[in-house]
Amino acid sequence: MTTEAPAVSRSVVRQALARVEVPEQHRFSAADATITHVDGGVNDVFFVGGPDHDEFVVKFAAYSTRAHFRAGVAAYRLLAEYTDLPVPTVYAFEENPAETPPFVVMERLPGEELAADFRDVASVTAPDAVRILGAVVGEFATIPESATDGYGPIQSFDDDGSGPRAVANFDDCATMLVEYGETLYDGSPDHDALEEIVPAVPEFLRANRDRFPTEPTPSVVITDLSPQNLLSRDGTPPDGIDGVTGVFDLERAKIGPLEFTAINTEYLLSRYVSDPDPVREALYDPLPFDSDVPARDLYRLIAMGRSVNALARWYDPGTLEYRHRGQELATEIRRIVENRPPR
């Protein structure tokens, strides 16, 4: 779907492309190039093509940081090296260009998204789509332990002579999770109910640090994952994971426990539905555990942290929707922090 008024102009796209080299099948003169801005969520995404040439993707960091892009590029390369997931081939990544925002040039994968975005609740929560997403999440954990070094945001994907591996910046996973949660709950939106409970969360996480795993089996962790991140030939859920034609938009990728990705994804998919059971059952069906994992409450608390942190960005402050969503978050946060059973 095309969108209006990208922050990055087509002349900037041409300027960026002049800095990089793409494979032969994508080479054509700038004068012949067709540059189409598409809906890329919070960043600026363009499809670039030419006469009798395959299109490719140029994505600029309009909202995401260069560190987010760096982590996503590393995740693509890690998953391409060690799994069969159809992630895009990265042709070039410019982290610090002088005259443009950071950008990545990569393969355009075939197919259509399984959902438009999180507001497309019916598609995002369709059990067949969620089940395929669960299978993809499971594949994130098939990387070998030797392919990672550390936990947290992926800093690089390098080969030091012993084989390619993703490097993250925490030696201890529990420390990473606590610090990540502290960052998300650093301050509260202008909302009475949240202002009362949010300050208690960092201390709660620190007090429960020993419930987090210290050195779990590594998995790629994506904290903004839904069927929108998956492609199939016609945009409908395929019968199995082999029918997925693309897995993309992996910015902010981390190394951490598979259980955290599962609980985080469960929260994202079920937060707007009255009955979360069908979503939960479909998501965990292909996974090696059910939803009742150790530290489930802590993982969910961290998952909700992004909603708290971004409440004023996703909803207009002062609206009934803003007040209602903030109250929902505050109620569940209080239940976890005060160790109350759910109603």
Side-chain angles (χ1 to χ4, degrees):
M1 182 176 69
T2 59
T3 57
E4 301 297 325
V8 173
S9 68
R10 286 167 176 77
S11 64
V12 172
V13 179
R14 291 188 170 90
Q15 188 177 18
L17 291 175
R19 298 173 52 91
V20 302
E21 185 172 324
V22 296
E24 183 67 34
Q25 71 266 29
H26 298 306
R27 292 179 192 167
F28 40 83
S29 70
D32 291 333
T34 58
I35 301 174
T36 305
H37 182 247
V38 297
D39 186 358
V42 297
N43 296 299
D44 276 334
V45 180
F46 297 84
F47 291 160
V48 180
D52 302 318
H53 289 75
D54 296 335
E55 283 189 321
F56 59 91
V57 177
V58 185
K59 186 171 187 176
F60 291 87
Y63 171 75
S64 298
T65 67
R66 58 176 50 88
H68 297 156
F69 264 41
R70 185 195 315 127
V73 167
Y76 289 141
R77 290 172 170 161
L78 174 66
L79 293 169
E81 181 73 24
Y82 293 110
T83 77
D84 293 325
L85 290 175
V87 294
T89 299
V90 176
Y91 300 140
F93 172 45
E94 290 280 339
E95 185 173 352
N96 295 295
E99 299 176 348
T100 73
F103 66 91
V104 59
V105 182
M106 55 190 167
E107 174 187 15
R108 181 183 178 187
L109 296 170
E112 302 293 332
E113 298 170 7
L114 299 194
D117 57 33
F118 279 111
R119 292 167 294 184
D120 182 9
V121 176
S123 297
V124 163
T125 61
D128 288 346
V130 175
R131 189 171 292 105
I132 290 296
L133 185 65
V136 170
V137 169
E139 285 296 304
F140 288 165
T142 63
I143 56 173
E145 290 192 39
S146 60
T148 66
D149 181 8
Y151 299 95
I154 303 176
Q155 302 299 306
S156 64
F157 184 64
D158 303 313
D159 189 344
D160 62 1
S162 60
R165 62 179 182 170
V167 178
N169 56 353
F170 285 86
D171 294 330
D172 178 286
C173 185
T175 299
M176 179 274 289
L177 289 166
V178 170
E179 290 195 14
Y180 179 48
E182 288 176 331
T183 299
L184 294 175
Y185 285 97
D186 182 20
S188 170
D190 182 15
H191 189 289
D192 291 345
L194 286 170
E195 288 175 349
E196 290 179 0
I197 191 60
V198 162
V201 175
E203 177 57 34
F204 179 79
L205 291 172
R206 290 191 292 269
N208 286 274
R209 181 190 179 283
D210 60 354
R211 293 176 55 207
F212 285 122
T214 301
E215 296 182 348
T217 301
S219 174
V220 173
V221 171
I222 306 297
T223 55
D224 195 9
L225 192 67
S226 83
Q228 185 186 9
N229 296 80
L230 308 183
L231 302 173
S232 72
R233 290 292 175 184
D234 60 1
T236 61
D239 292 334
I241 196 169
D242 290 345
V244 174
T245 60
V247 179
F248 66 106
D249 279 355
L250 304 185
E251 289 85 23
R252 303 172 184 261
K254 301 173 177 61
I255 300 298
L258 172 63
E259 291 85 351
F260 176 47
T261 299
I263 297 297
N264 189 92
T265 304
E266 176 198 334
Y267 165 72
L268 292 176
L269 300 185
S270 62
R271 56 188 161 163
Y272 300 130
V273 297
S274 57
D275 180 8
D277 285 346
V279 171
R280 187 180 298 126
E281 291 169 5
L283 179 66
Y284 291 95
D285 183 38
L287 293 175
F289 46 75
D290 61 23
S291 61
D292 189 20
V293 300
R296 171 183 169 83
D297 59 331
L298 301 181
Y299 289 139
R300 187 167 174 94
L301 189 61
I302 295 174
M304 288 190 293
R306 291 192 65 223
S307 291
V308 172
N309 189 269
L311 185 67
R313 185 165 63 249
W314 294 344
Y315 301 94
D316 291 332
T319 63
L320 288 177
E321 191 176 28
Y322 176 90
R323 307 306 298 176
H324 177 69
R325 183 62 187 140
Q327 183 62 58
E328 287 182 330
L329 288 165
T331 298
E332 184 168 2
I333 292 168
R334 184 175 296 280
R335 178 182 62 77
I336 293 173
V337 170
E338 298 180 355
N339 197 28
R340 297 177 181 173
R343 293 181 179 179

